[in-house]
Amino acid sequence: MMKITSARVILCSPGRNFVTLKIETDEGIYGIGDGTLNGREMSVVSYLSEHVIPVLIGRDPRRIEDIWQYLYRGAYWRRGPVTMRAIAAVDVALWDIKAKLANMPLFDLLGGRSRDKVLVYGHANGTDIEHTSDEVGRYKEMGYKAVRAQSGIPGVKGAYGVGRGDMYYEPADASLPTETVWNTGSYLNFTPKLFQRLRDVHGDEIHLLHDVHHRLTPIEAARLGCNLEPYRLFWMEDATPAENQEAFRLIRQHTTTPLAVGEIFNTIWDCKDLISNQLIDYIRTTIVGAGGVTHLRRIADFAALWQVRTGSHGATDLSPVTLGTAVHFDTWVPNFGIQEYMRHTPETDDVFPHDYTFRDGCLHAGEKPGHGVDIDERLAARYPYSPKQLPIARLQDGSMWNW
Ligand code: CS2
Ligand code: MG
């Protein structure tokens, strides 16, 4: 019987914090998994170190499903972002080992290619409409066929999604949460003007996406969806907080703007009703956030029953290990929609050597056995963890809102 001989958490910060799990076996094959949870990394480090690694040693790494069930059912306190990220880190490392054992790229082990390339979208953001429009143009020149557009809003300090650089946007910017202010009225008046300008300048071909980032109530989201219909968005994302999945019915009955949700979901239970009532068009759950390949495959197959497609989250706070595994998953999954692709910094790419490539608006999986991503531990050690938290948002009267 093959055995897991060691499992180590590697915490590093090449531009931003990442939690990586490396599982080694008695046959010299190792696997790498991502457990990064933006702003809560140390919770996952502790969960893995204290509660998961001790039960892994000595187990057969080929028993992926049994280990997943053991870690899910055995937790007793099921679900949640920390637990499911810890399970995902183990799961991805085990799929990496199994694909290496089978001497095939992960997409082949999952069932082979369903497509030759994976459509992605990038993030264009600017301080105002003209700047954002120029950024959309820059992403078109880089070959992107799909671009998310977020803009600064007059009178709104720290509007969501407006980065400080022009390629990398990392919102976890301080050891204590940065306070931002939100104004729904300004946002609702402004956003249709942004997309009208983008369509006027860039035409109808390019896919335009927008992330509301949980900021609206259902009826406000319904209004925005209606107002954006003339600009034919690829999707309007996180239109309203989704703890109450039923809330999306109010949005759905008012607008044909496609809806995407799920980057903060961590199991199929968070999206079962959204999918089975066709309240959404894309499910954004991720390899790292939703329990790894094993669980994301269940979510995708369930979603296919209602023609809901995948649209996995792919921000900089998901490590190249997640992105690389996602490209393999996206290469296989029949009901693929689109993959978010926020570029990592050069130092991150150096720490996580990988064989996925970007070309002509798409990501292309490599053919190496496994998920094609590794970690350079020596280099990682040069970037020590640095505590960071995500911002918070308040309304102008000072009350807490949704960042
Ligand atoms: C955003 C994320 O990319 C997105 O769709 O919602 O960038 C999100 O703000 C970050 O992942 C939070 O860490
Ligand atoms: Mg989002």
Side-chain angles (χ1 to χ4, degrees):
M1 180 184 100
M2 191 173 179
K3 279 194 173 39
I4 292 172
T5 51
S6 96
R8 287 181 290 113
V9 177
I10 301 159
L11 180 58
C12 66
S13 191
R16 59 146 292 108
N17 296 316
F18 293 111
V19 178
T20 306
L21 178 69
K22 183 168 188 174
I23 295 181
E24 294 167 314
T25 68
D26 58 355
E27 296 197 8
I29 293 178
Y30 66 85
I32 304 283
D34 177 23
T36 306
L37 179 57
N38 202 1
R40 296 292 182 272
E41 290 84 0
M42 295 313 286
S43 303
V44 180
V45 170
S46 164
Y47 195 105
L48 284 168
S49 308
E50 299 298 321
H51 312 300
V52 171
I53 288 174
V55 301
L56 285 181
I57 307 305
R59 285 184 189 278
D60 183 340
R62 296 170 300 180
R63 297 185 62 179
I64 297 177
E65 188 65 56
D66 181 63
I67 290 173
W68 196 98
Q69 296 294 331
Y70 183 99
L71 295 176
Y72 180 80
R73 296 167 189 271
Y76 187 73
W77 315 104
R78 296 180 182 190
R79 301 165 65 189
V82 174
T83 298
M84 298 315 293
R85 259 164 165 91
I87 293 175
V90 174
D91 189 74
V92 169
L94 297 182
W95 276 103
D96 192 23
I97 289 168
K98 192 174 272 288
K100 287 171 180 174
L101 274 173
N103 194 29
M104 57 174 73
L106 179 57
F107 63 76
D108 261 342
L109 189 61
L110 291 172
R113 284 184 180 282
S114 299
R115 57 194 56 77
D116 300 322
K117 53 193 177 181
V118 169
L119 176 68
V120 299
Y121 72 90
H123 279 208
N125 58 70
T127 50
D128 59 25
I129 288 181
E130 288 317 310
H131 182 199
T132 304
S133 179
D134 293 345
E135 283 299 289
V136 170
R138 198 161 66 83
Y139 271 81
K140 281 168 68 177
E141 282 159 20
M142 286 191 279
Y144 283 82
K145 305 292 186 269
V147 182
R148 185 189 89 163
Q150 310 287 141
S151 173
I153 302 166
V156 176
K157 173 175 161 270
Y160 167 69
V162 183
R164 283 161 295 287
D166 58 7
M167 272 304 277
Y168 313 110
Y169 166 57
E170 175 43 67
D173 57 1
S175 56
L176 294 174
T178 301
E179 300 237 345
T180 67
V181 177
W182 182 249
N183 180 318
T184 293
S186 305
Y187 170 74
L188 286 174
N189 293 333
F190 173 84
T191 302
K193 294 172 189 157
L194 168 65
F195 284 95
Q196 177 171 10
R197 182 74 178 142
L198 294 179
R199 282 296 180 215
D200 289 349
V201 173
H202 299 292
D204 292 336
E205 283 308 300
I206 184 138
H207 294 305
L208 293 176
L209 301 88
H210 183 64
D211 193 347
V212 180
H213 219 261
H214 324 279
R215 302 293 169 98
L216 300 179
T217 63
I219 198 64
E220 291 165 348
R223 172 182 151 194
L224 181 61
C226 290
N227 293 162
L228 292 175
E229 281 176 14
Y231 313 116
R232 292 169 309 292
L233 264 62
F234 186 91
W235 78 34
M236 178 169 79
E237 174 189 343
D238 281 337
T240 195
E243 292 97 322
N244 173 18
Q245 298 180 48
E246 190 56 30
F248 275 73
R249 191 177 301 284
L250 186 59
I251 305 168
R252 197 54 151 190
Q253 68 194 28
H254 285 284
T255 181
T256 57
T257 293
L259 301 174
V261 73
E263 69 181 47
I264 66 170
F265 293 170
N266 52 76
T267 69
I268 199 166
W269 301 104
D270 294 331
C271 48
K272 177 180 80 68
D273 302 337
L274 284 164
I275 290 169
S276 59
N277 292 293
Q278 289 193 286
L279 301 182
I280 58 173
D281 304 278
Y282 297 93
I283 182 63
R284 296 222 344 109
T285 38
T286 64
I287 294 279
V288 66
V293 172
T294 300
H295 196 58
L296 191 65
R297 194 169 55 165
R298 294 210 155 91
I299 293 173
D301 285 344
F302 181 74
L305 300 180
W306 286 275
Q307 301 187 66
V308 172
R309 285 174 282 187
T310 64
S312 286
H313 181 213
T316 47
D317 44 291
L318 282 62
S319 101
V321 176
T322 286
L323 185 60
T325 309
V327 176
H328 281 267
F329 188 92
D330 296 342
T331 298
W332 157 74
V333 70
N335 51 318
F336 171 73
I338 199 167
Q339 170 66 49
E340 179 175 2
Y341 175 41
M342 277 178 81
R343 292 175 185 242
H344 291 105
T345 60
E347 59 264 38
T348 295
D349 286 339
D350 291 343
V351 169
F352 294 97
H354 53 268
D355 64 353
Y356 55 82
T357 52
F358 173 81
R359 200 169 56 250
D360 192 27
C362 295
L363 280 173
H364 299 257
E367 297 279 345
K368 275 171 55 182
H371 54 44
V373 189
D374 205 340
I375 183 166
D376 181 332
E377 293 190 57
R378 194 183 35 76
L379 201 49
R382 289 196 204 155
Y383 300 100
Y385 168 72
S386 155
K388 290 283 186 300
Q389 294 207 45
L390 284 168
I392 61 109
R394 289 184 183 276
L395 297 177
Q396 289 180 309
D397 69 358
S399 47
M400 274 301 291
W401 197 239
N402 317 311
W403 176 77

